[in-house]
Amino acid sequence: MSDTPERAAAPSINPVLRTVLLWTGIAAVALIILSCGIGFLVAGADGLWSGLAGVGLAVIFLALTPMSVLIANRWYGREMFATVFFGIVMGGWLFKLVIFIVAIVILREQSWVVPGVIFLSLVAGIVVSLVIDAVAFNKLRVPHVSDVVLPTRNPEEDVDS
């Protein structure tokens, strides 16, 4: 019999991250409709595509962080968890950086891009995502030490023979 009980299958933060992804998806649909509609009214078809590109970039970049944490948490409880966790999260961050630079370089050469619409769509996506994160983590009901595993018996009670 072991001194410690079995570890949990996953960290208790996973449901919160899944909720954040769900809310981000719902907000993305609303932002796409709003951004494309306003972009179309302001600049026609080019504004529509610019709004779609701005919201798309914001949603992709902001959803990659909770997704990378959820993927990394699959190694929870294993020997190399910390190394794998930070490798995946930092790899995701570097991936976002490279994709952002490539997207900016490609988009700035396009004739259909309306800079004001794409910028405001990107900012709106970021603000909405930050609000979602703040609300989700503010309503978080996980104790500070939720994933700590305590021994099931007192080792001082053992009698040395």
Side-chain angles (χ1 to χ4, degrees):
M1 181 168 192
S2 173
D3 288 346
T4 58
E6 292 288 320
R7 283 189 179 250
S12 49
I13 194 74
N14 283 0
V16 175
L17 294 171
R18 286 189 192 102
T19 302
V20 166
L21 285 174
L22 176 68
W23 290 353
T24 300
I26 293 168
V29 171
L31 279 171
I32 287 171
I33 292 169
L34 217 102
S35 177
C36 290
I38 292 171
F40 184 75
L41 291 174
V42 170
D46 290 345
L48 182 136
W49 290 113
S50 295
L52 183 62
V55 171
L57 285 173
V59 169
I60 288 169
F61 294 138
L62 297 170
L64 277 175
T65 300
M67 284 180 10
S68 68
V69 172
L70 283 170
I71 291 168
N73 280 343
R74 292 178 181 231
W75 281 268
Y76 177 74
R78 298 196 179 118
E79 185 177 341
M80 296 290 289
F81 171 66
T83 306
V84 171
F85 180 87
F86 287 111
I88 290 173
V89 172
M90 287 305 295
W93 182 82
L94 288 172
F95 177 71
K96 287 194 302 187
L97 181 65
V98 168
I99 295 299
F100 183 74
I101 291 170
V102 168
I104 293 301
V105 168
I106 290 173
L107 287 175
R108 76 175 182 178
E109 301 294 326
Q110 303 302 317
S111 61
W112 53 268
V113 172
V114 179
V117 174
I118 199 168
F119 173 75
L120 291 175
S121 298
L122 189 60
V123 169
I126 291 169
V127 168
V128 167
S129 179
L130 290 174
V131 168
I132 288 170
D133 291 348
V135 168
F137 283 97
N138 192 29
K139 293 181 181 262
L140 182 64
R141 297 289 183 239
V142 177
H144 295 292
V145 292
S146 63
D147 296 327
V148 172
V149 178
L150 299 174
T152 57
R153 62 183 179 85
N154 186 353
E156 294 176 359
E157 292 177 357
D158 289 342
V159 178
D160 293 324
S161 35

